[in-house]
Amino acid sequence: MDLSTIFRAACVAALTILPSVSAQAVDITGAGATFPFPVYSKWADAYKTQTGNGLNYQSIGSGAGIKQIQAKTVTFGASDAPLTAAQLSKDGLAQWPMVMGAIVAVVNIEGLKSNELVLDGRVLADIYLGAIKKWDDAAIKKLNPDLKLPSAAITVVRRSDGSGTTFNFTDYLAKVSADWKSKVGSGTAVEWPVGVGAKGNEGVAGNVAQTKNSIGYVEYAYAKQNNLTYAALVNAAGKTIKPTITSFQAAAANADWANAPGFYQILTNQPGEASWPITAATFILMYKQPVDADASNEALKFFAWAYEQGGKMAEELDYIPMPESVVKLIKDSWAKDIASK
Amino acid sequence: MSPSPFVFPCGARLVNIETRMKSLPVDRARALAAFRLGDASFYWLTRICALVVLCILGGIILSLMIGAWPAIQTFGFDFLVTRRWAPQLEPTPVLGALGPIYGTLVTSALAMLVAVPVGIGIAIFLSELCPPALRRPVGIAIELLAGIPSIIYGMWGFFVLAPFMTDHVQPLFIDLFDGVPVLGAIFAGPPSYLSLFNASLVLAIMVLPFITAISRDVFMSVPPMLKESAYGLGCTTWEVVRNVVIPYTRTGVIGGIMLALGRALGETMAVTFIIGNSFQISGSIFAPGTTISAAIASEFAEASGVHQSALILLGLLLFVLTFIVLASARLMLARLERKAGA
């Protein structure tokens, strides 16, 4: 058999096999936030086993996710920073929250265990402003009278890429510190006064794990998976709160989704005695008039499945599933807004 | 220029072929015409290849300029002298290239400061002093260093070199120069894992093979007669290297250094890992910083609008910076040669 025969045979085989394969299994493509990536990949695995349909999700960051959906290279985009109703209508996009999570402050101080260190928003902002330079600063000592803290310089670790995690973190700091609000403000990428930048949640986690006397902020799942030491935070009600699924849920329960156009909600610094102060929802973006209606339907099927069956998996990774009432609102919005064939 | 006529490398062969052609029942004119055609098409093929390179270069410059245009319009000349990098400001972000330019120049200069003496030292050892049995393994090891992907250097720098330098070497310098006027500011603490200093060291190791391999090759090309005459006059090895080998090979060595500098200026991945990606200019080499390429790599995916355009403008600046460095090296080289010739 010479080469051209083999090639011809291969072509024929490909032509006969390919259409049947694509009819059976579809790959849903999406791109965006790194924050929900652990739970999306877990859902994708389970969904693939159940239905044979895969999810190809690139965790490239919220801003990049928004750009990808605007460029129509993916079926859905994912972002931690919600777009405003005006931005949505400009591009003809629909938006809804997929799952909620929490951001924790992680530290690397020798001998310190999780939840031993207590910080509040003001102190956190001052550390990130460079106003508090050492771990034995009076302001930190005041919150931790019994803790022995080293007289070492704090290495501040933050994101170098634009990020929804940064958006929610800086939004929180701007809410609790007037200094932060006037000097830095909030956004997916800001003008950091101090610190070193690392790429992605995993980059910040890696840098904090590596660098002694450092502090960083990551999605809770990344802190747990990397066995990082996290700090307890003082919430809006003045209570010291540990990052647990209960405190995340307490914060999430306060959100009023029904009266938020485009589901625009930022969940930081929620009231309530038991609320964890830095919780965040992560959002999905899809076109109301999709280019490929089939792909769009498949994606919606996946999301519906995730709302119905993915809750437990999300909780295992310490994300907070959307409450049923909100899921109903979201499904109504699909039926109303997103054109199927 | 017209295509060069068909020329055989040596006369004897020409005669040989001509006699053979006469004996063959082939039309000689037609055979020669066929040769000329092949020759002409070869000439045009190579010329097109050369032109394609020029077109690609021009296209890259043009597309960089088009991409950078909104940023040039927004910031103008201020882009070069602004220290702030605040992409979050509404409606127009404040963006300035001074931080990345500073980081690029400092890390490249520091890297060359370390790599040039060490690289040339290794090359002298390999070409002049090394026992022949050791020459090959060391030479191959140096060349292998050049083949390691830069991300590996970045990881190694992050996990191995940075902790060592930060815990043991940086405090030494900080204590040593504490209170000394200018040096105290350059070596100011606190030590940092991710810093200009650590990034420069990784860069130095990365560019070392370029300097060593090229220097060694040109050192080997020095005619033994010259060296042996010098030895015969009673010169020491140092004197031979200083007065014969280096003057003879200056052009080649500087070429190697320039190649290394070009790589140091543009190196992205390893630097992004270890430099800290901070736009602040503190003056201390132990502080985190950023370089042009690191800034582009870490922010490009998420940027939009003027922010993205500013990053493209940074790319254009790097292009210009590299061009200036290489051009001035050429100029220096030409001047040196004229001096040596005179």
Side-chain angles (χ1 to χ4, degrees):
Chain A
M1 218 196 306
D2 66 346
L3 266 180
S4 68
T5 334
I6 296 174
F7 179 70
R8 225 172 294 146
C11 282
V12 172
L15 280 177
T16 44
I17 291 166
L18 273 180
S20 60
V21 167
S22 61
Q24 281 165 6
V26 215
D27 259 359
I28 305 155
T29 57
T34 57
F35 174 92
F37 179 60
V39 64
Y40 287 179
S41 53
K42 192 164 188 177
W43 282 343
D45 272 352
Y47 192 64
K48 177 108 189 168
T49 340
Q50 277 190 22
T51 64
N53 292 344
L55 170 73
N56 174 10
Y57 182 74
Q58 309 158 29
S59 72
I60 50 179
S62 298
I66 293 171
K67 268 206 305 200
Q68 293 292 316
I69 184 75
Q70 280 168 346
K72 304 187 179 172
T73 52
V74 288
T75 309
F76 70 90
S79 171
D80 301 330
L83 296 182
T84 58
Q87 286 168 313
L88 289 172
S89 64
K90 196 183 91 205
D91 287 325
L93 286 166
Q95 169 178 269
W96 63 88
M98 195 62 221
V99 70
M100 293 177 283
I103 296 163
V104 295
V106 287
V107 295
N108 179 348
I109 299 173
E110 218 163 331
L112 209 66
K113 289 192 214 51
S114 284
N115 292 325
E116 282 184 351
L117 181 72
V118 179
L119 298 172
D120 65 11
R122 192 81 55 78
V123 167
L124 206 53
D126 280 347
I127 291 175
Y128 271 85
L129 278 170
I132 293 178
K133 290 188 164 60
K134 290 200 163 182
W135 279 116
D136 59 351
D137 190 280
I140 304 179
K141 272 191 166 163
K142 203 174 148 201
L143 290 165
N144 303 278
D146 305 325
L147 215 56
K148 201 177 165 306
L149 289 162
S151 174
I154 304 175
T155 302
V156 172
V157 184
R158 37 83 180 174
R159 294 284 289 270
S160 64
D161 47 342
S163 134
T165 315
T166 299
F167 173 82
N168 285 297
F169 183 70
T170 52
D171 179 82
Y172 169 66
L173 295 185
K175 276 178 183 160
V176 293
S177 157
D179 264 4
W180 183 270
K181 196 173 179 184
S182 64
K183 286 183 187 155
V184 184
S186 66
T188 53
V190 297
E191 185 186 17
W192 298 99
V194 290
V196 297
K199 208 166 164 60
N201 267 305
E202 53 276 38
V204 172
N207 266 287
V208 171
Q210 175 77 0
T211 315
K212 273 179 217 147
N213 300 314
S214 61
I215 184 166
Y217 59 91
V218 290
E219 206 285 320
Y220 182 58
Y222 288 89
K224 262 184 84 166
Q225 283 168 10
N226 292 293
N227 290 320
L228 295 174
T229 309
Y230 40 82
L233 287 178
V234 179
N235 69 6
K239 293 273 184 297
T240 301
I241 299 293
K242 293 172 185 168
T244 57
I245 187 90
T246 4
S247 64
F248 304 159
Q249 269 162 344
N254 276 306
D256 178 20
W257 293 101
N259 294 314
F263 294 102
Y264 185 93
Q265 277 277 4
I266 298 168
L267 300 176
T268 56
N269 207 29
Q270 290 289 323
E273 297 256 306
S275 296
W276 177 250
I278 328 176
T279 35
T282 182
F283 298 83
I284 298 290
L285 295 163
M286 270 174 69
Y287 275 102
K288 290 182 176 173
Q289 302 290 339
V291 194
D292 182 349
D294 287 334
S296 176
N297 282 339
E298 286 302 328
L300 289 179
K301 267 190 228 162
F302 168 73
F303 294 135
W305 174 90
Y307 284 131
E308 278 150 29
Q309 309 194 24
K312 207 169 159 300
M313 280 178 258
E315 277 173 4
E316 280 165 15
L317 291 171
D318 299 285
Y319 289 88
I320 311 125
M322 301 308 296
E324 238 164 84
S325 56
V326 183
V327 171
K328 198 178 167 306
L329 285 174
I330 294 166
K331 285 186 175 166
D332 289 348
S333 81
W334 290 351
K336 194 162 64 93
D337 289 341
I338 297 183
S340 50
K341 267 186 272 196
Chain B
M1 211 178 87
S2 67
S4 58
F6 194 60
V7 178
F8 281 103
C10 76
R13 207 169 146 66
L14 184 71
V15 173
N16 189 9
I17 286 183
E18 280 199 358
T19 41
R20 262 170 52 197
M21 278 190 151
K22 267 180 202 152
S23 64
L24 288 170
V26 184
D27 184 0
R28 189 158 168 262
R30 243 181 64 197
L32 278 178
F35 278 146
R36 202 166 297 134
L37 184 73
D39 211 35
S41 51
F42 183 66
Y43 167 80
W44 279 106
L45 199 70
T46 49
R47 178 176 231 196
I48 288 168
C49 291
L51 285 178
V52 163
V53 172
L54 278 183
C55 288
I56 291 174
L57 187 72
I60 290 173
I61 295 177
L62 196 70
S63 52
L64 278 179
M65 281 183 171
I66 294 171
W69 189 243
I72 295 174
Q73 272 184 320
T74 315
F75 305 115
F77 184 75
D78 283 351
F79 190 67
L80 291 177
V81 290
T82 307
R83 282 172 73 151
R84 289 186 68 188
W85 187 267
Q88 86 281 13
L89 293 183
E90 296 285 343
T92 325
V94 175
L95 301 169
L98 204 58
I101 292 177
Y102 164 82
T104 306
L105 294 179
V106 168
T107 48
S108 295
L110 270 179
M112 300 314 284
L113 206 67
V114 176
V116 169
V118 176
I120 293 182
I122 298 173
I124 292 174
F125 175 74
L126 282 179
S127 62
E128 307 298 328
L129 301 165
C130 183
L134 205 62
R135 189 174 285 170
R136 266 182 81 84
V138 175
I140 290 174
I142 297 279
E143 273 152 32
L144 277 180
L145 269 184
I148 296 176
S150 62
I151 187 91
I152 307 285
Y153 279 106
M155 286 166 62
W156 174 78
F158 181 69
F159 287 114
V160 183
L161 185 77
F164 177 79
M165 285 291 153
T166 313
D167 295 344
H168 299 105
V169 180
Q170 292 188 11
L172 221 71
F173 278 103
I174 293 169
D175 290 345
L176 187 64
F177 293 110
D178 191 24
V180 182
V182 178
L183 289 175
I186 295 178
F187 295 100
S192 170
Y193 277 55
L194 306 175
S195 63
L196 293 168
F197 177 74
N198 291 351
S200 306
L201 283 185
V202 170
L203 271 183
I205 298 168
M206 290 179 76
V207 300
L208 195 67
F210 292 87
I211 299 175
T212 303
I214 292 176
S215 304
R216 182 199 54 188
D217 288 350
V218 293
F219 288 167
M220 299 285 233
S221 76
V222 176
M225 203 172 63
L226 289 183
K227 283 196 273 185
E228 265 147 40
S229 334
Y231 281 122
L233 288 172
C235 287
T236 59
T237 309
W238 164 246
E239 284 165 336
V240 171
V241 169
R242 168 81 188 70
N243 298 315
V244 177
V245 175
I246 291 195
Y248 187 84
T249 55
R250 194 164 38 201
T251 321
V253 172
I254 293 181
I257 292 173
M258 284 306 133
L259 194 68
L261 182 57
R263 168 128 202 224
L265 284 171
E267 174 52 43
T268 309
M269 232 26 248
V271 172
T272 312
F273 249 74
I274 197 172
I275 198 163
N277 300 308
S278 158
F279 286 81
Q280 259 72 43
I281 301 175
S282 75
S284 166
I285 58 169
F286 297 140
T290 190
T291 66
I292 293 178
S293 47
I296 298 173
S298 54
E299 297 206 358
F300 197 76
E302 292 277 323
S304 58
V306 178
H307 184 194
Q308 188 181 50
S309 174
L311 291 172
I312 298 174
L313 182 53
L314 273 184
L316 187 64
L317 283 179
L318 181 62
F319 203 98
V320 173
L321 198 69
T322 316
F323 181 78
I324 292 175
V325 167
L326 293 184
S328 52
R330 278 278 163 109
L331 219 68
M332 198 171 75
L333 220 58
R335 193 168 295 165
L336 270 177
E337 261 159 30
R338 218 176 310 135
K339 227 191 205 162

